[in-house]
Amino acid sequence: IALSEVALAQPIPESERLLYKKTRQIGIHLNTSGFGVGAKISRYTDATHLWTFGADLLFVKHEKETKTWNPVNDPNARPYFYGKLNNFYVMRAQVGRTKIITEKLRRSGVQTSYNWSIGPSLGFIKPIYLEIIYMDEPNNQPYIEVEKFNPDLHYIDNIYGRASGLRGFDELKFQPGAFAKVSFTFEYSNERERLKGIEAGASADFFSQRIPIMAIYEDDSKNPKNHQLFLMLYLNFFIGTKYDQK
């Protein structure tokens, strides 16, 4: 047996397990409505409980989004989502509690925890801009104009593709809300001062109004329904450190 394997199998002394009073971590979110990033810091209140404070930034999609390409298959045309009015981003500020269920008694072990957090959400609504095909009548030549998507004027047969994603940030609209989430954390780093693991859970964001991600067509029985409540299942892959050694 390798010496490194023997070292990993040794129990962690009690004094070492209580050496650090705080943690900090960053992570990448993958969820059923999009993706995002997050960060948080935590402080032990006793051996098995922590207060946590953090923030998330998420990109939230609508379940009816379908990627569409220019019908002439021009390789220079960017794909777009037909009928999508706005991109939607969510910033959260959170406070919560963590309860350690099983401690990592060996370096090669896994520490499992239960978490909850709540806080305000702030939604950012950014309009979608598209490249629209027009015809120069005197010369009978097509040309392209960049315009904000208008479901009454823009259709599959005159949309060339998606415009730059930077267009529309000067027209942001804001929507206040609140969120709550619960999760389980599995931390498995075998380094004394490092954190590495997976958080799996569910979250709910509620806003004061429906978020107009998709266009609504009165004569379409398959209209998408824009939401006021966003329910998500998520995985958060995180890394971090322990600090405040005493």
Side-chain angles (χ1 to χ4, degrees):
I1 302 175
L3 291 178
S4 60
E5 293 178 353
V6 173
L8 288 175
Q10 295 297 317
I12 300 176
E14 181 71 19
S15 60
E16 184 176 312
R17 296 208 302 271
L18 300 178
L19 201 58
Y20 300 94
K21 300 297 184 182
K22 301 176 184 178
T23 69
R24 53 193 170 200
Q25 67 185 58
I26 57 174
I28 298 175
H29 294 250
L30 299 177
N31 60 62
T32 50
S33 295
F35 56 89
V37 295
K40 71 178 180 180
I41 59 173
S42 303
R43 182 180 180 89
Y44 283 87
T45 55
D46 57 43
T48 59
H49 294 84
L50 302 90
W51 279 109
T52 64
F53 306 89
D56 297 329
L57 178 61
L58 306 177
F59 174 69
V60 180
K61 302 187 296 183
H62 193 284
E63 69 274 9
K64 294 291 187 180
E65 292 184 22
T66 303
K67 189 173 288 188
T68 307
W69 281 265
N70 184 294
V72 298
N73 293 319
D74 188 330
N76 295 317
R78 299 185 183 97
Y80 63 97
F81 296 94
Y82 182 68
K84 185 171 183 179
L85 282 173
N86 297 289
N87 281 334
F88 185 49
Y89 308 90
V90 176
M91 180 175 287
R92 298 167 171 167
Q94 62 187 39
V95 60
R97 283 287 265 174
T98 292
K99 160 68 175 175
I100 297 175
I101 302 172
T102 59
E103 293 189 69
K104 186 193 298 182
L105 300 179
R106 302 180 186 276
R107 295 196 197 283
S108 58
V110 177
Q111 177 175 288
T112 60
S113 306
Y114 167 76
N115 317 278
W116 63 261
S117 59
I118 58 174
S121 295
L122 180 61
F124 300 83
I125 303 168
K126 186 188 81 68
I128 297 291
Y129 276 79
L130 299 174
E131 295 177 331
I132 308 300
I133 303 172
Y134 288 97
M135 188 63 66
D136 184 357
E137 295 296 343
N139 301 314
N140 198 30
Q141 292 293 323
Y143 66 96
I144 292 174
E145 294 283 355
V146 174
E147 299 178 358
K148 186 189 301 186
F149 174 62
N150 184 334
D152 296 322
L153 300 176
H154 304 145
Y155 308 96
I156 290 178
D157 57 356
N158 68 357
I159 297 174
Y160 178 75
R162 175 174 49 86
S164 168
L166 298 177
R167 296 292 294 266
F169 274 106
D170 58 340
E171 302 175 58
L172 284 178
K173 295 181 180 179
F174 305 97
Q175 194 66 245
F179 88 98
K181 63 181 178 180
V182 294
S183 65
F184 289 94
T185 299
F186 306 91
E187 196 279 310
Y188 49 82
S189 173
N190 55 27
E191 298 182 46
R192 179 186 299 180
E193 299 179 355
R194 302 294 181 183
L195 298 173
K196 180 171 64 174
I198 299 173
E199 178 186 354
S203 66
D205 291 81
F206 183 79
F207 295 91
S208 56
Q209 297 180 6
R210 292 185 184 272
I211 306 300
I213 296 178
M214 303 296 290
I216 303 298
Y217 300 91
E218 294 182 359
D219 58 349
D220 187 352
S221 61
K222 297 182 179 180
N223 259 326
K225 182 179 181 180
N226 287 315
H227 305 297
Q228 191 171 7
L229 174 65
F230 294 84
L231 301 173
M232 307 178 197
L233 300 176
Y234 72 90
L235 291 176
N236 178 40
F237 302 89
F238 66 86
I239 58 173
T241 60
K242 304 172 185 178
Y243 66 109
D244 194 19
Q245 187 173 354
K246 293 182 179 179

